[in-house]
Amino acid sequence: QVQLADSGGGFVQAGGSLGLSCVASGRTYAMSWFRQAPGKEREFVAGIRRSTYITKYGDSVKGRFTITRDDAKNAVYLQMNSLKPEDTAVYYCAAISRTPDILPIYRLAYDYWGQGTQVTVSS
């Protein structure tokens, strides 16, 4: 069983920046960030594969968000720049631990989830 501890959310004005962190208690393969706004489905934000560091981004965050990871620390990070009010959501870290060499955007593919951290962007 792997536990994910995500943190770093907060309140920021539009155009500002925030960074999120997630640390896994064990080894994982792909790690990603999802987000869920009130009344909406949980959506893929960004993901990164272990070792190759191949990344994938959701269309709404391309060019503004950057995902990185530190395999030695079993950690993944999300740097969010040029934030917009529509980025307001609870952000969840997710990880795959059983299947290497994939980077899915579908939530059902992920084995473990963090508790979520709130990001609020004011206009």
Side-chain angles (χ1 to χ4, degrees):
Q1 188 81 4
V2 174
Q3 294 183 330
L4 303 180
D6 44 28
S7 62
F11 183 93
V12 66
Q13 291 189 330
S17 299
L18 279 176
L20 305 182
S21 300
C22 175
V23 180
S25 62
R27 180 186 173 98
T28 62
Y29 293 114
M31 295 186 78
S32 294
W33 290 95
F34 287 73
R35 67 186 182 187
Q36 188 166 18
K40 294 189 177 181
E41 294 289 320
R42 191 169 298 188
E43 67 169 345
F44 176 82
V45 175
I48 186 167
R49 281 173 49 180
R50 187 181 188 89
S51 301
T52 63
Y53 304 108
I54 292 172
T55 60
K56 189 180 294 183
Y57 293 91
D59 289 342
S60 62
V61 307
K62 284 179 181 176
R64 300 187 298 122
F65 290 11
T66 302
I67 188 169
T68 57
R69 68 183 291 165
D70 184 334
D71 289 343
K73 297 180 179 179
N74 292 318
V76 64
Y77 309 97
L78 186 68
Q79 179 62 38
M80 305 182 292
N81 298 329
S82 302
L83 283 161
K84 304 175 181 180
E86 50 264 44
D87 294 317
T88 295
V90 177
Y91 283 70
Y92 296 91
C93 175
I96 292 173
S97 65
R98 294 173 292 179
T99 309
D101 302 326
I102 61 171
L103 184 50
I105 65 171
Y106 303 105
R107 56 179 293 189
L108 293 178
Y110 288 81
D111 302 310
Y112 300 105
W113 291 84
Q115 77 281 2
T117 184
Q118 176 71 46
V119 171
T120 302
V121 184
S122 67
S123 58

